[in-house]
Amino acid sequence: MHQMWTQLGSLMATSMFIYTIFMRLFPPPLQARLRKYTHKLTSFVYPYIRITFHEFTGERLMRSEAYNAIQTYLSEHSSKQATKLKAELVKVKDTHTPLVLSMDDNEEIIEEFQGVKLWWSSYKITPKTQSFSFHPASDERRYFKLTFHKRYRSLITECYLKHVLEEAKAIEMKNRQLKLYTNSKTRWSHVVFEHPATFETLAMNPTKKEDVINDLVKFKSGRSYYAKIGKAWKRGYLLYGPPGTGKSTMIAAMANFMNYDVYDLELTAVKDNSDLRRLLINTCSKSVIVIEDIDCSLDLTGQRKKKKDGKERKGCVKRGDRDDDDDDDNEKGSKVTLSGLLNVIDGIWSGCGGERIVVFTTNFVEKLDPALIRRGRMDKHIELSYCCYEAFKVLAKNYLDVEFHHLFPRIEKLLEETKMTPADVAENLMPKSLNEEVDTSLLNLIHALEMSKEDAERKKEETEKEQFNVQENALSENHGEEMEDNGVII
């Protein structure tokens, strides 16, 4: 045994001596040629191909997107196989385990793809000497190495690596933390979007709710369809109804269901059409762009002013056509026009990016310009009205954890006879103390519904009385005029 190790040491020393002589005496062109033939000879003995993916690439040592994608992919698949794992604490959406496990350095796992065996290895290189660097984080070099048999070269390079990148993208989208953006001039700033609303907790007619969900699912999988018909991959929703009917909650539920970021666009903070265009270009795909209460945003309510000759003017009201007082008030305000908004929502610029949902909300749909809400811009109009019995049952489940109660039939009848928004119903259902029981909350709602019904009946009586008085006065005036015409002096 000792003799074998002695012979092995002598062989290694001889090899190093020959290699040193080779490097010193042979010219570089001859060295390159000899390496080429040596590599060919080695390939017959070692029939495997290795692909290396470094963490940093380029002269400025930018972090490699391929490395990040592979790291994400392996973190999802390696935790079941690797014996050495490293854990990172991250805030991942919809998870009870914020620790993400990934393959540790100098670890290897085996994977199969279409029956082909592959080896993934993770390595870290630490320099032995410390030197000054403008990029201290780049002193440690990490990389992944993929090894596979050379007969499967085309399968791995053309199919498997594409599969890894697509799978990594899907994992990132599933685990990413949603953001809520707001605009300031031409820039977006964001906070974490943590609104808990879902379609399960949304108080809405079940049939309408199911229709919206199906529409969203069809849109999300419609990339090829939109490309085939030649339209930008976007969809517009108009949410309209009285205040308190759940328009904002619907938007949050849509964002959570689609796993999209939310861009809350405040038009009054936008200087002009150019800034509006720049803002919308800077939005990302997989996002919901929201303009709430659009009937209150600038002069976009569709009341097109007419010229003196009585002809309707095309487009928006020009600033020069406004009254002088209005000019002074709006000099420092927004110059966004209806045509500018239409252009970025449904014009040429709307094709910059894809997979976007545009949502307008309004309390008074009749005030909006028909050009703003026509099909193609606002593809789906959703009316969110007063609370119905089915919506009430959702709220009762959310707030009181009950699916049926002996007071439900009475509430159902009252909801049919009066108008109350889901927000008001929810406020009456919410327990006001720790010891308040379900019966108390339901009785509070019944009392509120009865009061609302009485108020509605009283207002109806007053309105009818006013109309009757107006008719009586009109009849009296007409009778007086007739008597004067007949020569009767009153």
Side-chain angles (χ1 to χ4, degrees):
M1 189 68 178
H2 177 73
Q3 185 179 0
M4 185 184 69
W5 283 108
T6 304
Q7 291 176 355
L8 183 60
S10 300
L11 180 62
M12 292 179 63
T14 303
S15 301
M16 292 298 297
F17 176 75
I18 295 174
Y19 180 75
T20 304
I21 297 299
F22 170 76
M23 293 297 294
R24 289 186 177 182
L25 299 181
F26 288 84
L30 182 59
Q31 293 179 20
R33 187 176 293 273
L34 287 173
R35 286 196 186 97
K36 178 181 178 182
Y37 289 108
T38 303
H39 178 71
K40 287 184 176 181
L41 180 62
T42 306
S43 64
F44 287 105
V45 182
Y46 186 78
Y48 291 95
I49 295 175
R50 289 173 291 183
I51 303 178
T52 303
F53 303 89
H54 292 277
E55 183 178 10
F56 296 98
T57 59
E59 297 180 357
R60 297 187 179 183
L61 298 178
M62 301 295 291
R63 191 172 175 87
S64 169
E65 293 184 7
Y67 181 91
N68 292 338
I70 293 169
Q71 187 178 42
T72 302
Y73 175 82
L74 292 179
S75 66
E76 186 80 3
H77 296 81
S78 64
S79 58
K80 298 179 181 179
Q81 300 183 32
T83 56
K84 292 192 299 182
L85 298 168
K86 58 183 178 181
E88 296 181 3
L89 182 63
V90 294
K91 190 172 184 180
V92 180
K93 181 176 177 287
D94 294 335
T95 182
H96 300 290
T97 56
L99 283 176
V100 176
L101 302 177
S102 58
M103 189 167 59
D104 201 0
D105 300 322
N106 303 316
E107 177 68 351
E108 182 181 88
I109 63 170
I110 300 175
E111 188 179 21
E112 282 195 8
F113 178 74
Q114 297 184 10
V116 178
K117 186 176 289 187
L118 309 99
W119 291 264
W120 278 107
S121 304
S122 173
Y123 296 99
K124 179 179 72 172
I125 300 176
T126 305
K128 295 181 180 179
T129 57
Q130 297 294 330
S131 59
F132 176 77
S133 174
F134 288 102
H135 305 281
S138 64
D139 290 342
E140 289 185 347
R141 302 296 180 88
R142 289 180 170 82
Y143 62 92
F144 291 112
K145 184 179 290 185
L146 174 64
T147 306
F148 55 92
H149 199 282
K150 63 181 181 181
R151 74 166 66 101
Y152 304 113
R153 184 189 191 107
S154 59
L155 175 67
I156 301 304
T157 56
E158 295 176 7
C159 298
Y160 176 69
L161 292 180
K162 183 180 179 181
H163 161 75
V164 169
L165 297 178
E166 291 177 349
E167 184 75 10
K169 186 176 181 181
I171 294 170
E172 288 179 354
M173 290 302 300
K174 180 183 69 173
N175 293 337
R176 72 186 182 124
Q177 179 66 57
L178 299 185
K179 298 179 178 64
L180 173 62
Y181 291 84
T182 184
N183 61 298
S184 175
K185 295 184 178 179
T186 59
R187 294 185 178 182
W188 293 103
S189 58
H190 70 268
V191 296
V192 175
F193 182 73
E194 296 180 319
H195 200 293
T198 63
F199 279 109
E200 287 75 16
T201 61
L202 182 64
M204 185 180 178
N205 183 284
T207 304
K208 285 187 176 181
K209 187 189 298 186
E210 190 66 25
D211 181 53
V212 174
I213 292 174
N214 292 337
D215 191 78
L216 290 171
V217 171
K218 186 176 181 180
F219 168 78
K220 194 170 187 177
S221 59
R223 182 188 186 97
S224 58
Y225 177 77
Y226 278 83
K228 184 185 73 172
I229 63 177
K231 289 187 64 175
W233 190 13
K234 69 173 186 63
R235 190 151 180 83
Y237 290 84
L238 174 66
L239 309 182
Y240 65 96
T245 51
K247 295 184 286 295
S248 299
T249 306
M250 164 73 85
I251 294 169
M254 292 170 68
N256 285 324
F257 179 78
M258 300 291 282
N259 202 29
Y260 285 3
D261 292 327
V262 179
Y263 289 83
D264 185 15
L265 179 59
E266 178 54 57
L267 286 178
T268 56
V270 184
K271 182 179 178 182
D272 51 31
N273 293 336
S274 298
D275 286 351
L276 176 62
R277 188 183 307 119
R278 192 175 295 111
L279 275 171
L280 292 182
I281 289 175
N282 289 333
T283 59
C284 298
S285 298
K286 298 183 183 295
S287 59
V288 180
I289 302 170
V290 181
I291 303 179
E292 291 199 88
D293 297 322
I294 193 169
D295 53 298
C296 304
S297 299
L298 307 179
D299 190 14
L300 305 175
T301 55
Q303 301 299 328
R304 300 172 188 256
K305 294 188 177 180
K306 296 184 178 181
K307 294 182 180 180
K308 293 181 179 179
D309 56 4
K311 294 182 179 179
E312 185 180 38
R313 188 177 310 176
K314 295 182 179 179
C316 293
V317 180
K318 296 182 179 179
R319 288 178 55 81
D321 296 332
R322 298 177 185 271
D323 297 335
D324 295 337
D325 294 339
D326 293 339
D327 287 341
D328 295 336
D329 294 337
N330 294 322
E331 189 63 32
K332 296 181 181 180
S334 175
K335 298 180 183 178
V336 174
T337 62
L338 177 60
S339 61
L341 179 61
L342 297 182
N343 188 37
V344 295
I345 293 298
D346 193 39
I348 296 176
W349 289 98
S350 65
C352 298
E355 200 169 355
R356 289 183 172 90
I357 292 176
V358 181
V359 181
F360 291 167
T361 71
T362 179
N363 296 333
F364 307 100
V365 66
E366 64 278 359
K367 289 186 178 181
L368 298 182
D369 193 294
L372 187 65
I373 60 175
R374 70 164 176 81
R375 306 292 177 172
R377 290 194 176 107
M378 294 295 105
D379 305 281
K380 195 169 185 63
H381 296 189
I382 304 172
E383 181 181 8
L384 297 174
S385 188
Y386 295 100
C387 188
C388 63
Y389 179 64
E390 295 297 329
F392 156 75
K393 289 197 295 185
V394 175
L395 293 173
K397 175 66 176 175
N398 294 342
Y399 285 82
L400 303 177
D401 247 351
V402 293
E403 295 184 1
F404 185 77
H405 193 275
H406 68 275
L407 292 175
F408 277 18
R410 186 177 175 186
I411 294 174
E412 180 180 9
K413 185 178 179 181
L414 286 170
L415 286 172
E416 293 173 354
E417 297 173 348
T418 187
K419 295 180 179 179
M420 181 174 285
T421 64
D424 290 332
V425 172
E427 179 61 28
N428 285 285
L429 287 178
M430 182 178 291
K432 304 302 186 294
S433 63
L434 294 175
N435 56 357
E436 186 170 315
E437 297 180 352
V438 173
D439 290 7
T440 305
S441 298
L442 293 176
L443 288 172
N444 289 338
L445 175 60
I446 290 173
H447 177 70
L449 287 169
E450 290 175 344
M451 293 293 293
S452 178
K453 180 182 177 181
E454 292 176 1
D455 290 341
E457 291 175 350
R458 184 171 59 255
K459 289 180 180 179
K460 183 179 179 181
E461 291 177 359
E462 292 176 354
T463 303
E464 292 176 351
K465 187 176 181 180
E466 289 177 359
Q467 292 177 350
F468 178 77
N469 292 334
V470 169
Q471 292 176 357
E472 285 291 322
N473 292 334
L475 290 174
S476 298
E477 291 177 359
N478 292 335
H479 181 67
E481 291 175 357
E482 290 177 359
M483 292 181 66
E484 290 181 0
D485 292 339
N486 293 328
V488 179
I489 300 176
I490 302 176

